[in-house]
Amino acid sequence: MNANTGATLSQASAQQMAWKTENVAPLWTVLKGLVPAEPRPQAIAYAWRWRKMRELLLHAGETISAAEAERRVLMLNNPGLDGKPHITDTLYAGLQLILPGEIARAHRHTQAALRFVLEGSGAYTAVNGVRADMHRGDYIVTPPWTWHHHGHDGSEPVMWLDGLDLPIVNFLRAGFREEYESEEFPHSCQANKLWDKYSGTLLPINTEPTSLCSPVFSYPYERSREALERLKKHDECDPHLGVNVRYAHPLTGGWTMPTIAASMRLIPAGWGTRLYRSVEGTVLTVLEGCPTVEIEGQGSFELEPNDVLAVPGWTSWRVQGGVGRDAVFFAFSDRPVFEKLGLYREARA
Ligand code: GTQ
């Protein structure tokens, strides 16, 4: 007899069997886990080192062609997530390689994608035929359901970081994909034409946004870098975020994609941010300098250019800017999803 409930053991197990048969379960045994006091990300903080990643990518380039692979990508799988191809609890990232003369054929899907170029030049991504030439540090947007292919007219391997909202779209069972009828979608214009048209604070009159994604598909590195330098000059250095610019949809002022936020940060040499956390999961990669990222409870990561770091949500972190040289890094996160659902929260120490 159980003193608390008055039930015998056999009554309790009969009850459990009935629950199982009828597909019900007692909330009271799991309530605190189901409705936690605060988020408990399953992803862990983890760094993928460029030195090793570059070697593995170039080796993949010898063993499979872009034509065979469709996309020659090494996915960055967070070690906390039991082999799932997610870099954080809600985002996907991969490193993609394209070799001179190759084409990664045109397709489209409802998942949104970004490219952040890490090494090489001469390659391009085409979005509905609008061609964005790739240079290190460029941020390129591939909106959902747009035809896109990658190509390469140059002479050296080109590698970039892919970021997709694949875990979110697949969780929502909203994933659709289609192959284009030929390898390439017909070329229409260069992406810098869209930059010229939409990038400034002086916009063509009567231009309404026609998409949740930015009409500017490619944000060249020189422009983001200049913006950081301008803000630094004007002391726009947030104690928790450093000098931080976000890539914006020029017609709405919002993020460049409905699910993914992208930004670039500068941490002055010899300076460090204070501890900060928010519910978003963040992926970052280093452009310049060698910042150290300290993640509360999970250690310190001394990063080098092109290393990729995953920072899970609701985990406090701070960045130290290295010696003698400002550190610059690119970051993306799932922040717009939280904002749209009224769930965004942050805490500053
Ligand atoms: O380049 O279209 O890393 O469709 C994963 C899925 C890249 C792409 C990825 C994709 C792509």
Side-chain angles (χ1 to χ4, degrees):
M1 185 83 88
N2 181 319
N4 294 326
T5 63
T8 64
L9 275 178
S10 65
Q11 278 171 328
S13 67
Q15 189 183 42
Q16 267 167 24
M17 269 176 63
W19 285 339
K20 209 163 172 225
T21 313
E22 299 304 325
N23 297 303
V24 298
L27 170 65
W28 56 91
T29 59
V30 293
L31 179 62
K32 296 223 160 71
L34 265 187
V35 189
E38 58 177 17
R40 286 194 297 248
Q42 203 190 324
I44 61 168
Y46 188 81
W48 289 262
R49 303 293 178 178
W50 180 243
R51 198 171 311 191
K52 191 67 195 174
M53 291 304 116
R54 185 178 191 278
E55 177 194 317
L56 294 178
L57 265 182
L58 290 172
H59 188 241
E62 290 165 16
T63 56
I64 189 160
S65 66
E68 283 172 289
E70 186 164 332
R71 296 293 186 265
R72 192 197 287 110
V73 174
L74 291 177
M75 302 185 294
L76 306 180
N77 296 351
N78 191 291
L81 296 177
D82 310 322
K84 273 200 278 250
H86 302 176
I87 188 162
T88 65
D89 288 84
T90 62
L91 292 171
Y92 160 102
L95 293 167
Q96 185 158 173
L97 163 70
I98 191 158
L99 293 170
E102 288 188 323
I103 288 178
R105 58 172 302 120
H107 67 195
R108 65 177 177 178
H109 38 73
T110 49
Q111 292 87 358
L114 66 84
R115 330 277 165 199
F116 189 77
V117 185
L118 296 175
E119 186 180 307
S121 57
Y124 60 88
T125 283
V127 179
N128 283 343
V130 177
R131 190 172 149 157
D133 292 323
M134 292 175 142
H135 309 279
R136 178 172 159 74
D138 292 353
Y139 165 65
I140 297 168
V141 178
T142 312
W145 212 238
T146 53
W147 296 110
H148 55 282
H149 63 275
H150 317 299
H152 198 330
D153 302 331
S155 57
E156 55 185 13
V158 174
M159 289 168 264
W160 67 84
L161 177 67
D162 282 322
L164 282 87
D165 58 5
L166 214 143
I168 299 170
V169 174
N170 292 357
F171 171 74
L172 295 171
R173 302 290 185 264
F176 293 86
R177 88 178 246 130
E178 267 178 13
E179 305 299 323
Y180 190 62
E181 61 206 32
S182 51
E183 268 196 321
E184 297 170 64
F185 190 89
H187 177 71
S188 61
C189 67
Q190 295 293 121
N192 57 12
K193 178 173 163 190
L194 299 178
W195 173 274
D196 291 348
K197 203 163 157 187
Y198 296 116
S199 74
T201 45
L202 295 165
L203 293 164
I205 204 153
N206 298 333
T207 317
E208 295 300 324
T210 54
S211 160
L212 294 172
C213 287
S214 170
V216 177
F217 293 143
S218 176
Y219 293 72
Y221 184 45
E222 311 87 75
R223 307 304 174 110
S224 346
R225 190 69 184 81
E226 272 166 28
L228 286 174
E229 215 53 50
R230 275 200 307 272
L231 292 180
K232 182 184 162 193
K233 204 171 75 193
H234 293 292
D235 287 333
E236 289 290 333
C237 191
D238 181 284
H240 295 87
L241 303 172
V243 184
N244 196 347
V245 288
R246 66 184 182 84
Y247 297 90
H249 185 313
L251 305 179
T252 65
W255 302 104
T256 51
M257 288 189 271
T259 48
I260 303 181
S263 63
M264 189 171 272
R265 296 195 203 173
L266 181 150
I267 310 293
W271 185 83
T273 66
R274 299 173 62 171
L275 280 173
Y276 171 87
R277 67 175 162 171
S278 70
V279 285
E280 73 208 293
T282 303
V283 177
L284 63 89
T285 186
V286 177
L287 261 291
E288 294 177 28
C290 295
T292 299
V293 179
E294 183 193 319
I295 302 185
E296 207 170 51
Q298 301 195 41
S300 244
F301 296 84
E302 289 177 22
L303 300 177
E304 293 184 12
N306 292 8
D307 287 354
V308 177
L309 179 72
V311 184
W314 211 237
T315 304
S316 292
W317 57 299
R318 61 183 299 275
V319 190
Q320 187 68 38
V323 185
R325 180 161 188 208
D326 294 351
V328 175
F329 65 91
F330 168 80
F332 68 93
S333 82
D334 49 0
R335 176 170 171 167
V337 178
F338 294 92
E339 289 178 344
K340 289 188 178 74
L341 299 177
L343 292 170
Y344 190 70
R345 247 195 224 217
E346 57 182 13
R348 294 162 183 252

